[in-house]
Amino acid sequence: MVGFNSTSFHPATFQLTGFPGQEAAYHWIAVPFVVLYVTAMAGNCLVLCIVWVDQRLHQPMYLFLCMLAVSDLGMALSTLPTVLGTFCFYFIDIAFDACLVQMFFIHFFSFMESGILLAMAFDRFVAICNPLRYAAILTNPRIVRIGLAVVFKSTLMLFPFPFLIKRLPYCKSNVLSHAYCLHSDMMRLACADTTLNNICGLFASLITYGLDSLFITLSYIMILRTVLNVASHEQRLTALNTCISHICAVLLFYVPTLAVPIIHRFWKNAPLLVHILMSYVYIFVPPVLNPIVYSVKMKEIHKGILRLFSRG
C-alpha cells in the first residue's frame, strides 16, 4: 500500500482524507468549499484593492490590514490545490516533498497572522494611549520593518520543521487525517521517536501564539485603563469602537487555533466529524470572515467598497 524510498524510508506519497465514508458525495461537499475559497479570495483582494487605490487609506491601521489580507490569501492558496483536488476530482495522493512544502506554508501563514494581529494591537495601543505621537512612532519605514520582522520570525520558527519531518522513517500507514498536510499529522505516521518534533512544535507554538496572545492581552488592558480615564462617555465609545474589528479578528483566529488542540487532547472520544470540521474551521474562518468584519465595522473600508462599485 505504501511506496517507500529505500534509502530514507519515506513514503513516495501521502494519501489525503476528506470525509471518510462520504466519497460518493464529494462533488456536493466541494460546493461549500468552492464558495468559501471564492469568498476568501474576493474579500481579501477587495480590501487590498481599496487600500491601494485610495491614498487616504495609506495609514498604519490600513497598511496592517493589508498585511492581514495577504496572510489570509496565503493561507487560502496554501490549502486550495489539495482541498479542491480531493473533493472535486478525488486526487488524494500528494508527493512527500510537496506535502512538506504545503505543511511549511500553512503553518507559516498561521504564524504570520498571529504576528500581524500583535502589530495591529500595538497600532491601536499607540493610537489610543499616545495619540499625539502616533504619526511619529508608526512611520512607513517602521511599518515595513515590523512586517519584515513578522516574516523573519515566522520563517525562523518553522525552518527546522521540514528537516525534522524528513529525518523520520515511515513504516506505518501513509494516510493523513485531512485534505492538507500539517506537521502533527505527518509526525503521527512516523515509526520513530518524535520527542524532538514535539518539543520543537510546542516551543514554536508558545513563542508565537503564546507570546503574541499575551502581548495582545496586555495591550488591551492598557487601552482599557486609558479609555476608563477619559471623562466623556462618547469619547470612550469612540475609542473602543476603533478596536472592535481587531478584537473580532483576534477571536476569529485564536479561538479555532486553541480549540483544535484542546479537542484533540481532552475530547478524544469526540465523533470523527467534530475533529474534521474543527480542522476546517481553523483553516477557513479567518480568511473568509476577516474581510467581512473589516468591511462592515470600518467605515473607510465600507465607503471604499461603495465608491469602487459605484465607479464601476
Side-chain angles (χ1 to χ4, degrees), residues 4 44 52 63 72 134 171 211 277 282 284:
F4 286 94
N44 287 290
W52 177 270
L63 295 177
D72 285 336
Y134 181 72
C171 54
L211 286 182
L277 288 177
Y282 160 73
F284 283 101

Side-chain angles (χ1 to χ4, degrees), residues 9-80:
F9 302 103
H10 294 156
T13 61
F14 283 112
Q15 286 188 4
L16 304 168
T17 301
F19 290 89
Q22 302 298 320
E23 287 79 7
Y26 273 10
H27 285 90
W28 293 107
I29 296 173
V31 173
F33 283 108
V34 170
V35 172
L36 289 171
Y37 276 118
V38 170
T39 304
M41 304 238 260
N44 287 290
C45 287
L46 188 61
V47 169
L48 290 172
C49 184
I50 289 167
V51 177
W52 177 270
V53 169
D54 195 338
Q55 293 289 329
R56 292 171 297 181
L57 299 183
H58 291 186
Q59 301 172 28
M61 180 167 56
Y62 300 104
L63 295 177
F64 285 128
L65 178 58
C66 286
M67 293 182 194
L68 188 69
V70 169
S71 174
D72 285 336
L73 280 172
M75 176 66 86
L77 290 171
S78 296
T79 59
L80 185 148

Side-chain angles (χ1 to χ4, degrees), residues 55 57 88 93 96 121 146 180 185 195 237 264 285:
Q55 293 289 329
L57 299 183
C88 293
D93 290 330
F96 181 84
I146 290 173
Y180 45 83
D185 206 13
T195 302
L237 292 178
H264 276 288
V285 163

Side-chain angles (χ1 to χ4, degrees), residues 193-249:
D193 184 16
T194 57
T195 302
L196 183 58
N197 292 66
N198 283 314
I199 292 173
C200 288
L202 180 61
F203 175 78
S205 296
L206 289 175
I207 292 295
T208 303
Y209 302 135
L211 286 182
D212 289 353
S213 59
L214 175 63
F215 287 129
I216 290 171
T217 303
L218 291 175
S219 296
Y220 274 103
I221 290 173
M222 289 186 280
I223 286 171
L224 194 59
R225 287 180 60 186
T226 302
V227 169
L228 291 176
N229 289 329
V230 175
S232 170
H233 180 69
E234 290 184 1
Q235 287 179 329
R236 291 181 190 176
L237 292 178
T238 302
L240 290 175
N241 192 48
T242 64
C243 301
I244 290 176
S245 300
H246 179 254
I247 292 171
C248 289

Side-chain angles (χ1 to χ4, degrees), residues 56-198:
R56 292 171 297 181
L57 299 183
H58 291 186
Q59 301 172 28
M61 180 167 56
Y62 300 104
L63 295 177
F64 285 128
L65 178 58
C66 286
M67 293 182 194
L68 188 69
V70 169
S71 174
D72 285 336
L73 280 172
M75 176 66 86
L77 290 171
S78 296
T79 59
L80 185 148
T82 54
V83 171
L84 293 189
T86 299
F87 291 110
C88 293
F89 309 106
Y90 200 63
F91 292 156
I92 60 172
D93 290 330
I94 181 171
F96 181 84
D97 289 334
C99 199
L100 284 178
V101 171
Q102 186 184 52
M103 174 206 74
F104 179 87
F105 280 108
I106 289 174
H107 291 300
F108 170 80
F109 285 113
S110 180
F111 280 18
M112 184 175 165
E113 181 143 349
S114 179
I116 294 168
L117 289 172
L118 174 59
M120 295 174 84
F122 177 68
D123 167 78
R124 293 298 84 210
F125 166 74
V126 176
I128 293 173
C129 299
N130 202 351
L132 298 179
R133 297 196 59 211
Y134 181 72
I137 293 173
L138 286 171
T139 60
N140 285 343
R142 188 161 289 162
I143 292 169
V144 171
R145 286 198 292 271
I146 290 173
L148 291 175
V150 170
V151 171
F152 177 75
K153 178 190 173 186
S154 302
T155 304
L156 185 65
M157 287 290 102
L158 287 166
F159 181 75
F161 281 52
F163 301 101
L164 290 171
I165 288 292
K166 206 157 189 176
R167 74 184 178 88
L168 295 173
Y170 290 82
C171 54
K172 300 179 182 179
S173 168
N174 67 334
V175 180
L176 297 173
S177 303
H178 311 294
Y180 45 83
C181 302
L182 297 175
H183 173 256
S184 57
D185 206 13
M186 298 174 71
M187 178 182 67
R188 176 182 60 83
L189 300 178
C191 53
D193 184 16
T194 57
T195 302
L196 183 58
N197 292 66
N198 283 314

